[in-house]
Amino acid sequence: MKIDKGIMYFQDETNLLTINDIVSRKDFIAVNQKVPNLGVTSSAQWLKITIKNTTDVPKLLLKVDFPIIDEIEFYSFEDGKMRIEKMGEYKDFSERRYNDPNYIYDITIKNNQTQTYYLKIKSGEQIMLPITIGTPQKIFESISTKDAIFGIYFGIIIVMFLYNLFLYFTVQDKSYLFYVIYIMCVGLTQTFLHGYTFKYLWPNSSWLAIHTMYLLPSFVGIAIAEFAKVFLQVKEHSKILYKGFYIINFIYIICIILAVTGNYNQSQQVIHINAMLVSLYTLFVGFIIARKGYRPAIFFSIAWFTFLIGVCLFILKDLGVLPYNNFTVYAMPAGSAIEVVLLSLALADRINILKKEKEESQAQALRALKENELIITNQNIVLERNVKKRTKQLQKTNNDLSSALLELKQAQSQLVNSEKMASLGQLTAGIAHEINNPINFVVSNVKPLKRDIEDIYELVNKYETIEVQNIESKISEINTFRNEIDYNYLKEEIGYLLKGIEDGAGRTADIVKGLRVFSRLDETDLKRTNITEGLNSTLTLLNPEISGSIELVKNFGNIPEIECFPGKLNQVFMNIFNNAIYAIKAKKDSQEKGQLTISTSADNLNVYISIKDNGIGMTDAVKAKIFEPFFTTKAVGKGTGLGMSITFSIIRDHNGSIELNTEAGVGTEFIIVLPITYKN
């Protein structure tokens, strides 16, 4: 097949010319290359192809064997009509007439006739246009041959990918993970350059089809940089060389940003420069580390050098230095396949090295273990003697500690009892005064009552001496005596005196009962108890401190009996009430009357007791230390500082909790929560 007058081209820098403008132009330039190389440009490129059919087959195919063109338009004039076919990566793959990554057009030229066709091409990458014209049979045979060759390459890539992925999951070495990523990126890049990604992976995504040219090479560069860092252990051998890979990755990120923002030509140029940089730099790093005796670096350098040869041949073909043929077209895929295999062997050799290092390490560890065993045996003999000696000392120390612990428990028990007795001691004077009042009332009523009874006895005796003879005179005498003693008043006075004695005795009995309930001797026995009774008994004992100066408010709810140690809880109430009374009385110069409010309530699980006063309250510093042993804000001799500490311990022993709400100058509220059923 002869292309008469060859191929001519024109560069439309305005990107505005139409086919009618182009047909009339006379300034087309002849292409002196067998494969037109139009370079990298943002301008539209027009090709004028004049074909003379020297065969007997009128229906032919024109194939443009460069699948990564962004936009390509084919113009033909047959029977006076113009036919336009628009293709390229900006259109969906399904719109093509032929299911092939390359661009194939039907042309009809009769024998020995000449026809002119036009191609408009626009792309952001290097434009190479190997144009083939032939019969459909010849064209499709060449396509099948290309598919078979690339199928072999892709098969190698898939096998190496799966093999190294399996090794990664087996040995968990990061080198294999980065290598698997590198294989995948390289394989996809070669697949893209031959148009198969657009055909099989994203046929309906023009964005991916256009941008893959810039994204995949960038990903390949980043992947090889990361793989080389890990595989060659660059950081361990040279920190300066290790930092160089960060620069390479940064440049590739810039390439990706340029491509995504539409600056395709700039991205393509930076990718070419950086690809050359990463290729030479990686080879240099591998050579430097190989000279240090690291054997995997030798395999890496050989494999990478093989791949670079294929890349160089491919680039020289693009630059027009080497001819466009199957050798130069498939040089890079072939170099890539050989590199992948060699690097897989290098990784396998690395496993052997690691295995050998592991065996040596295990041997050293075994020797160290034997030496340690001998040392331990000798040490055990010495230790046995020391252990026997120390055991005797420890037994003696243990006995001393047991005695000290027993004494400590006794001291603790005595301390708790002392605090309770101290509380009772503080109440003694008040209780004595409280009992003395009703007793004095009883005593003072006894003498008048005795006198009144003697008068009644005397009146009765006079009635007993009455005789019949002198009855009138006796009755007159008795009436006179009755009037003297005022018998009616005497009866009324005796009633008042007896009532006073009864009230005094009852008041004394209440005080004694409250004292008995408060200081019950069964405080170590767990039993069901009415909490309200304990609160009332404690308040009874504190009545001398409360009455007349503090308003007492009781909001007792209907609460059930709970399992507890009653005597210990009474001590809790006494401690909190004492502190509340002290806080109320310490609030001097206050116009507000002192008030102590006790509230109780319950739910299905717990009983809640609130004790609230309007005393001086606490600062945050006092609140933080209120439950610490021996902490008190009272003057010396007024308190031991153990009351609230013991209170906290008793409530904790009941599996309950105590919450403190206070504000300086406003008052304090203690909220006690006790479980209805005691749990060990």
Side-chain angles (χ1 to χ4, degrees):
M1 181 64 62
K2 179 181 178 183
I3 301 178
D4 194 22
K5 299 181 183 179
I7 301 175
M8 306 184 74
Y9 81 96
F10 172 77
Q11 182 173 316
D12 176 15
E13 295 180 354
T14 65
N15 290 317
L16 298 175
L17 299 180
T18 65
I19 183 64
N20 294 326
D21 298 326
I22 291 299
V23 169
S24 61
R25 296 191 73 91
K26 304 297 183 181
D27 53 352
F28 273 86
I29 301 173
V31 177
N32 297 321
Q33 302 165 315
K34 290 185 178 180
V35 176
N37 186 344
L38 306 182
V40 180
T41 177
S42 58
S43 303
Q45 303 284 343
W46 288 87
L47 292 184
K48 181 179 180 181
I49 307 171
T50 303
I51 305 171
K52 182 177 182 179
N53 188 0
T54 58
T55 68
D56 296 329
V57 181
K59 293 191 177 296
L60 303 173
L61 294 178
L62 185 149
K63 182 181 72 166
V64 180
D65 201 357
F66 193 69
I68 57 174
I69 298 174
D70 294 342
E71 300 177 32
I72 180 169
E73 298 176 5
F74 179 75
Y75 297 89
S76 62
F77 299 88
E78 297 175 2
D79 300 328
K81 296 180 180 180
M82 182 177 67
R83 177 167 57 95
I84 305 174
E85 292 185 55
K86 296 182 178 181
M87 289 191 242
E89 291 181 334
Y90 81 104
K91 298 180 72 67
D92 291 348
F93 192 85
S94 57
E95 297 182 21
R96 300 187 183 187
R97 181 189 297 270
Y98 295 99
N99 186 28
D100 189 74
N102 299 299
Y103 304 102
I104 303 175
Y105 303 97
D106 293 323
I107 59 175
T108 302
I109 308 175
K110 294 181 181 180
N111 179 253
N112 289 323
Q113 288 189 358
T114 301
Q115 186 70 278
T116 300
Y117 301 94
Y118 294 88
L119 282 174
K120 180 183 178 182
I121 298 165
K122 190 174 182 181
S123 190
E125 56 271 349
Q126 179 84 19
I127 301 175
M128 296 284 295
L129 296 177
I131 300 174
T132 304
I133 301 172
T135 62
Q137 180 181 357
K138 293 293 185 182
I139 294 295
F140 290 129
E141 283 178 358
S142 67
I143 291 173
S144 298
T145 301
K146 177 184 176 182
D147 290 344
I149 293 172
F150 192 80
I152 294 171
Y153 166 77
F154 198 70
I156 294 172
I157 293 295
I158 289 293
V159 169
M160 292 296 100
F161 175 83
L162 295 176
Y163 168 71
N164 287 282
L165 184 64
F166 170 76
L167 288 178
Y168 167 69
F169 286 115
T170 302
V171 301
Q172 293 295 308
D173 187 343
K174 273 199 311 185
S175 301
Y176 287 95
L177 177 61
F178 286 116
Y179 187 55
V180 165
I181 296 172
Y182 170 67
I183 291 175
M184 180 180 67
C185 292
V186 167
L188 286 175
T189 301
Q190 295 301 320
T191 306
F192 162 76
L193 291 174
H194 290 80
Y196 293 105
T197 54
F198 191 33
K199 178 179 179 180
Y200 294 110
L201 298 183
W202 41 78
N204 298 317
S205 176
S206 59
W207 190 93
L208 279 176
I210 293 172
H211 289 81
T212 304
M213 180 65 192
Y214 315 98
L215 299 180
L216 277 178
S218 299
F219 293 152
V220 169
I222 294 173
I224 189 59
E226 293 302 313
F227 169 68
K229 284 195 300 183
V230 176
F231 180 76
L232 297 176
Q233 297 181 353
V234 180
K235 191 173 184 180
E236 288 75 11
H237 290 96
S238 174
K239 290 184 179 180
I240 296 177
L241 295 176
Y242 183 80
K243 292 178 181 179
F245 287 105
Y246 285 110
I247 299 173
I248 292 171
N249 289 344
F250 178 73
I251 296 174
Y252 274 123
I253 292 173
I254 294 175
C255 296
I256 294 172
I257 294 173
L258 288 172
V260 172
T261 54
N263 299 292
Y264 303 124
N265 293 335
Q266 294 89 334
S267 178
Q268 182 76 11
Q269 292 170 1
V270 177
I271 286 174
H272 284 162
I273 295 171
N274 203 36
M276 181 172 62
L277 175 64
V278 71
S279 300
L280 297 176
Y281 185 76
T282 305
L283 186 63
F284 172 74
V285 171
F287 176 73
I288 294 296
I289 296 177
R291 288 189 61 184
K292 294 183 177 182
Y294 187 60
R295 198 168 76 176
I298 300 174
F299 287 94
F300 179 88
S301 300
I302 296 172
W304 189 243
F305 183 72
T306 304
F307 178 62
L308 288 184
I309 292 175
V311 172
C312 290
L313 292 174
F314 188 84
I315 294 174
L316 290 174
K317 175 262 300 179
D318 287 350
L319 296 176
V321 177
L322 294 177
Y324 187 97
N325 52 40
N326 287 337
F327 176 75
T328 55
V329 169
Y330 294 108
M332 189 160 65
S336 172
I338 295 172
E339 179 218 19
V340 166
V341 174
L342 289 176
L343 285 178
S344 297
L345 294 176
L347 284 168
D349 182 70
R350 190 167 182 266
I351 292 179
N352 293 330
I353 294 174
L354 293 175
K355 182 179 179 182
K356 185 177 180 181
E357 291 176 351
K358 184 178 179 181
E359 288 174 351
E360 292 177 355
S361 176
Q362 288 176 342
Q364 291 177 358
L366 183 60
R367 287 193 297 269
L369 285 173
K370 289 181 178 180
E371 292 175 359
N372 289 337
E373 184 179 0
L374 181 61
I375 294 171
I376 291 171
T377 302
N378 295 331
Q379 287 179 342
N380 283 340
I381 297 172
V382 177
L383 284 173
E384 256 184 71
R385 291 196 296 266
N386 292 336
V387 165
K388 289 180 181 179
K389 182 179 178 182
R390 289 293 297 162
T391 301
K392 291 180 180 179
Q393 295 175 352
L394 288 173
Q395 286 176 345
K396 183 178 181 303
T397 304
N398 189 42
N399 293 334
D400 294 341
L401 287 174
S402 298
S403 300
L405 182 61
L406 181 60
E407 292 174 0
L408 185 62
K409 288 183 177 179
Q410 292 174 348
Q412 183 183 20
S413 178
Q414 291 172 0
L415 193 61
V416 173
N417 290 331
S418 297
E419 172 62 20
K420 184 172 182 180
M421 294 309 296
S423 299
L424 287 174
Q426 293 173 11
L427 296 173
T428 300
I431 293 172
H433 175 74
E434 189 73 4
I435 293 177
N436 192 47
N437 286 337
I439 291 299
N440 287 338
F441 192 67
V442 171
V443 172
S444 63
N445 284 356
V446 168
K447 289 182 179 180
L449 180 61
K450 183 179 179 182
R451 185 185 64 246
D452 291 343
I453 291 174
E454 287 176 351
D455 289 341
I456 291 174
Y457 281 161
E458 186 177 351
L459 179 62
V460 171
N461 288 334
K462 288 185 179 293
Y463 275 106
E464 288 178 349
T465 59
I466 295 176
E467 295 179 357
V468 176
Q469 300 91 322
N470 57 356
I471 186 171
E472 292 181 0
S473 62
K474 285 290 184 182
I475 289 175
S476 176
E477 183 183 348
I478 290 170
N479 288 334
T480 301
F481 180 75
R482 182 174 179 178
N483 291 331
E484 288 178 358
I485 66 175
D486 195 354
Y487 178 72
N488 291 331
Y489 173 75
L490 190 63
K491 289 193 297 181
E492 186 178 347
E493 185 180 35
I494 289 172
Y496 282 124
L497 292 173
L498 289 174
K499 181 67 170 59
I501 292 171
E502 183 182 10
D503 290 344
R507 177 61 183 157
T508 303
D510 288 341
I511 295 171
V512 172
K513 179 183 177 182
L515 189 59
R516 186 179 69 252
V517 171
F518 174 78
S519 58
R520 55 199 306 162
L521 300 175
D522 59 353
E523 65 177 13
T524 59
D525 297 333
L526 183 67
K527 58 167 57 179
R528 284 205 167 271
T529 305
N530 190 333
I531 294 297
T532 304
E533 183 184 58
L535 289 167
N536 281 326
S537 67
T538 308
L539 291 171
T540 298
L541 298 179
L542 291 170
N543 186 62
E545 300 291 331
I546 296 174
S547 61
S549 60
I550 298 174
E551 179 186 357
L552 183 62
V553 180
K554 297 181 182 180
N555 298 320
F556 290 164
N558 185 18
I559 61 175
E561 292 184 344
I562 68 170
E563 285 184 333
C564 64
F565 300 99
K568 291 184 178 181
L569 286 184
N570 288 340
Q571 187 175 357
V572 168
F573 302 148
M574 176 63 75
N575 291 339
I576 297 178
F577 288 154
N578 268 331
N579 285 347
I581 293 169
Y582 174 82
I584 291 172
K585 292 185 176 181
K587 194 174 184 181
K588 299 177 181 179
D589 303 327
S590 175
Q591 301 299 323
E592 183 182 10
K593 184 178 180 180
Q595 188 179 75
L596 178 61
T597 304
I598 301 99
S599 306
T600 62
S601 61
D603 56 24
N604 294 333
L605 299 176
N606 302 307
V607 166
Y608 303 90
I609 305 162
S610 168
I611 303 172
K612 185 176 182 180
D613 66 70
N614 61 346
I616 58 175
M618 304 179 197
T619 63
D620 291 339
V622 173
K623 180 181 177 181
K625 297 182 178 181
I626 190 66
F627 295 113
E628 293 182 5
F630 303 107
F631 174 77
T632 181
T633 58
K634 299 177 183 177
V636 177
K638 295 290 186 179
T640 63
L642 292 171
M644 295 312 298
S645 174
I646 292 173
T647 295
F648 183 82
S649 299
I650 292 172
I651 294 173
R652 181 188 59 194
D653 292 341
H654 280 79
N655 297 312
S657 63
I658 182 169
E659 180 182 347
L660 172 60
N661 298 319
T662 183
E663 184 178 350
V666 177
T668 301
E669 180 184 17
F670 286 94
I671 300 174
I672 301 170
V673 182
L674 296 170
I676 295 174
T677 302
Y678 182 85
K679 295 180 181 179
N680 289 323

